[in-house]
Amino acid sequence: MNKKKITIFIFIWFNVLVAFGPIASQDKSPNIIYILADDLGYGDVKAFNPNGKIPTPNMDAMAANGIKFTDAHTSSAVCSPTRYGILTGRYNWRSSLKSFVLSGYSKSLIKQERTTVPEMLKTQGYATAYIGKWHLGWDWAIEDKDANLEHNKLNANPKVDFSVPVKNGPSTHGFDYSFGFCGSLDMAPYVYIENDMPTMVPTKTTISVDEKGIWRKGLTSDDFVHANVLQDLTDKAVDYIEKNAKKTSPFFLYFPLPAPHTPILPTTEFLGKSNTNMYGDFVMQVDDVVRQIRETLKSQGISENTLLVFTSDNGCSPKADFKELEKVDHDPSYVYRGTKADIFEGGHRVPFIVEWPSKGLKNSSTDKVICTTDFFATCAELTGYQIPDTEAEDSYSMLSLIKGDNDEDIREYTVHHSIDGSFAIRQGDWKLSVCSGSGGWSYPRPQDVEKEKLDLPDMQLYNLKDDIGETKNLIAANPKKAKELKKALKKIILDGRSTSGKNQENDGMEGWKQIEMIVN
Ligand SMILES: O=[N+]([O-])c1ccc(OS(=O)(=O)O)cc1
């Protein structure tokens, strides 16, 4: 090439790059950030509860700039099982966790061969990170192995070697970078773990029995201060975003917060700020975490092509003090019956917001039912990953709803699950709960039903369109509908299949009374 030809060549390429460069960069798969609040109720977010009394300006701003899912459900009414569903696209009751939650010393729940969202995204060129509360089990170097079962108790304090790596945690389940702690903020050990290594060996034992700031007795590292944990984690998340913003590969950050779960410990900046109670103040501090993340995305110039999800792991806990909040006319469960742990809507209907400025809908709302297990298939469609039959069998992509491509239902059935292992199935406006009471912590609790010999039908059928508060059990009036739903539920559970017909195995269903009620 002579000089003139080279000049023309460069000129043409320059123009091509100027013309198509922005498109090319927009076509880069989006960064994905999943913020999971802990025990935040549907009614605690102003954008979801017009009568709410807790100011949540940053969650509201996110909703105004994105899409609000008003009929979103966690796959369980409690913590660990919901987290299993988010990361695997699979209902927790197919795993070995049939009810309740794990402790801070429980073994890793996710089997090594099970594909997780970060593992899948890594095949699509993503950098992956987990920062926050894990609560999915992590294999500590427990020295008194004989007492193995004891470790699943929430107040367990086994003898552990904290100077060696903790195994089968986030790094073995697909996260390139990890920082967090093992259980809940009220379950020992109170130790940060970074890339599998405890950051410090704990040398002291702490306990708090204060009404709101309660946490169970356990070993605590000097760098682990309960009241600082929310901001420590947020600082790590901000730092991760800043370090990864300019890289050529997109990133996925899974950011499960320990708040507003107990211990309810708002910092002085937030104490008294909500004019409700300490729980309300703590919710405002969670809202401020959303501010910090969104501001970081803006300052790094990556907010347009970042898909930001904000939701909660189950409904609001009674520990928020519903009676105290009632005095200021605030209901964390909004119009829904019950609380965290229940099969009622208050157990698992959660605020769910997706903000993706460059491609997603803005200031929009959808009442299509989604489940937290749907995250896997959504990320798969987003990045062009073909899900094999052996993965994520309870996951349906909600990408069309996020982008507004169409407004069709993405799932025919959704299965709900409560803390005691009870099931419900939702189809359209119909909901069948296969238990007499709440299946959780609200009246009538399973023990109330038994103790008071309550004469309740074995199952509950509600039409949520006419009866959002689940007050009129239609089981006697509509046995045909109940039978139909029970049959559908049986098929989903027993066949070990999702409604899409992907064959999967279930772990240990034998002797499980809630299953027997459905099977027989
Ligand atoms: O003590 N319980 O019954 C209990 C404790 C924790 C819990 O779930 S978690 O979300 O707080 O971990 C559920 C039940």
Side-chain angles (χ1 to χ4, degrees):
M1 267 197 266
N2 64 28
K3 219 170 167 186
K4 194 176 165 196
K5 273 190 180 158
I6 289 172
T7 311
I8 290 170
F9 181 81
I10 290 172
F11 179 78
I12 290 171
W13 270 109
F14 177 78
N15 281 292
V16 166
L17 288 175
V18 167
F20 294 106
I23 296 172
S25 70
Q26 263 188 29
D27 272 357
K28 175 181 154 184
S29 289
N31 304 305
I32 302 167
I33 302 178
Y34 198 106
I35 308 177
L36 184 67
D38 197 3
D39 286 5
L40 179 75
Y42 187 102
D44 291 328
V45 181
K46 281 286 277 179
F48 287 77
N49 176 4
N51 305 321
K53 297 295 184 292
I54 305 171
T56 50
N58 297 291
M59 298 173 196
D60 303 346
M62 204 186 141
N65 199 39
I67 178 164
K68 199 167 74 172
F69 289 81
T70 60
D71 207 344
H73 298 263
T74 53
S75 52
S76 163
V78 266
C79 183
S80 309
T82 288
R83 284 155 211 262
Y84 178 89
I86 292 170
L87 291 182
T88 63
R90 183 176 198 241
Y91 291 131
N92 68 281
W93 40 263
R94 298 196 196 282
S95 79
S96 58
L97 189 64
K98 307 301 190 199
S99 61
F100 208 57
V101 294
L102 301 177
S103 88
Y105 289 105
S106 293
K107 291 206 161 297
S108 182
L109 173 65
I110 303 173
K111 282 190 178 167
Q112 197 46 59
E113 59 269 28
R114 168 102 1 237
T115 305
T116 62
V117 171
E119 280 169 346
M120 178 258 288
L121 286 175
K122 269 163 74 102
T123 69
Q124 306 305 90
Y126 275 71
T128 59
Y130 138 79
I131 293 166
K133 161 180 170 170
W134 184 241
H135 212 182
L136 278 166
W138 210 328
D139 298 354
W140 292 97
I142 293 176
E143 291 174 342
D144 47 352
K145 288 206 167 41
D146 291 347
N148 225 9
L149 277 180
E150 293 293 305
H151 308 154
N152 289 322
K153 293 192 175 155
L154 301 188
N155 58 357
N157 270 303
K159 202 156 175 285
V160 167
D161 182 354
F162 288 96
S163 68
V164 297
V166 198
K167 293 184 180 155
N168 296 322
S171 325
T172 25
H173 294 300
F175 290 104
D176 300 325
Y177 174 75
S178 63
F179 181 91
F181 61 96
C182 187
S184 239
L185 199 50
D186 57 2
M187 291 174 197
Y190 306 114
V191 173
Y192 282 133
I193 309 166
E194 186 164 32
N195 296 329
D196 295 340
M197 268 310 284
T199 56
M200 286 183 87
V201 172
T203 51
K204 64 183 181 212
T205 296
T206 65
I207 180 172
S208 170
V209 288
D210 171 69
E211 182 65 20
K212 297 270 181 345
I214 188 161
W215 67 82
R216 294 171 185 84
K217 183 178 167 183
L219 280 169
T220 310
S221 301
D222 283 345
D223 62 349
F224 194 104
V225 178
H226 284 72
N228 296 347
V229 169
L230 183 58
Q231 191 54 46
D232 285 351
L233 296 171
T234 307
D235 290 346
K236 287 277 180 192
V238 165
D239 189 48
Y240 179 82
I241 296 168
E242 287 174 352
K243 287 202 174 104
N244 284 274
K246 303 283 186 308
K247 293 192 178 158
T248 45
S249 58
F251 66 82
F252 165 50
L253 169 62
Y254 172 56
F255 184 29
L257 314 179
H261 189 289
T262 50
I264 296 170
L265 292 171
T267 52
T268 45
E269 188 192 337
F270 293 93
L271 202 60
K273 200 169 180 181
S274 71
N275 284 321
T276 58
N277 69 354
M278 257 168 79
Y279 170 77
D281 299 341
F282 210 24
V283 170
M284 286 195 75
Q285 192 171 338
V286 170
D287 185 70
D288 191 65
V289 172
V290 174
R291 175 189 66 78
Q292 293 180 60
I293 297 300
R294 291 178 81 239
E295 281 185 1
T296 306
L297 295 176
K298 269 207 189 79
S299 68
Q300 293 299 313
I302 56 169
S303 48
E304 282 296 308
N305 200 27
T306 296
L307 191 152
L308 180 63
V309 178
F310 178 84
T311 189
S312 179
D313 65 337
N314 44 246
C316 182
S317 165
K319 290 178 183 159
D321 202 337
F322 280 56
K323 279 215 173 80
E324 207 172 85
L325 290 166
E326 205 181 326
K327 288 186 205 147
V328 291
D329 213 11
H330 179 82
D331 189 341
S333 294
Y334 188 41
V335 295
Y336 303 112
R337 184 172 175 181
T339 65
K340 168 182 178 176
D342 293 352
I343 204 68
F344 297 132
E345 294 291 287
H348 47 81
R349 195 187 281 229
V350 287
F352 195 105
I353 311 169
V354 179
E355 184 184 20
W356 185 20
S358 66
K359 302 253 175 74
L361 289 174
K362 292 200 178 67
N363 203 4
S364 182
S365 176
T366 176
D367 60 3
K368 300 295 170 204
V369 176
I370 58 159
C371 179
T372 41
T373 53
D374 295 333
F375 184 55
F376 192 118
T378 307
C379 290
E381 187 180 359
L382 195 63
T383 60
Y385 178 86
Q386 295 295 319
I387 305 177
D389 281 359
T390 49
E391 297 174 5
E393 66 267 37
D394 300 306
S395 195
Y396 298 85
S397 174
M398 53 180 147
L399 196 60
S400 61
L401 299 174
I402 294 169
K403 291 166 81 173
D405 291 344
N406 64 51
D407 196 27
E408 315 223 317
D409 287 325
I410 63 158
R411 19 173 79 243
E412 186 180 4
Y413 299 104
T414 303
V415 178
H416 308 308
H417 198 228
S418 78
I419 191 168
D420 79 340
S422 294
F423 285 89
I425 181 166
R426 170 84 184 275
Q427 182 196 32
D429 298 323
W430 291 100
K431 175 179 174 184
L432 177 77
S433 298
V434 191
C435 57
S436 301
S438 68
W441 293 342
S442 299
Y443 189 86
R445 298 169 303 167
Q447 59 266 44
D448 299 323
V449 175
E450 221 162 274
K451 201 166 139 203
E452 299 175 24
K453 307 246 175 304
L454 296 175
D455 190 19
L456 300 171
D458 284 347
M459 301 196 292
Q460 305 167 69
L461 180 69
Y462 298 108
N463 186 305
L464 297 180
K465 186 159 164 244
D466 306 330
D467 179 23
I468 197 64
E470 297 172 90
T471 59
K472 291 187 270 301
N473 187 355
L474 303 175
I475 195 89
N478 209 335
K480 207 170 141 222
K481 190 76 209 169
K483 203 171 162 199
E484 193 185 303
L485 288 173
K486 194 173 165 199
K487 197 171 153 199
L489 180 57
K490 179 177 170 178
K491 181 167 168 50
I492 295 171
I493 295 169
L494 249 203
D495 282 1
R497 286 164 190 272
S498 72
T499 48
S500 63
K502 292 173 186 169
N503 190 20
Q504 280 292 305
E505 294 298 315
N506 299 322
D507 270 353
M509 295 283 191
E510 311 76 31
W512 184 9
K513 80 174 188 311
Q514 285 88 353
I515 284 284
E516 280 162 11
M517 282 184 71
I518 296 158
V519 178
N520 302 320

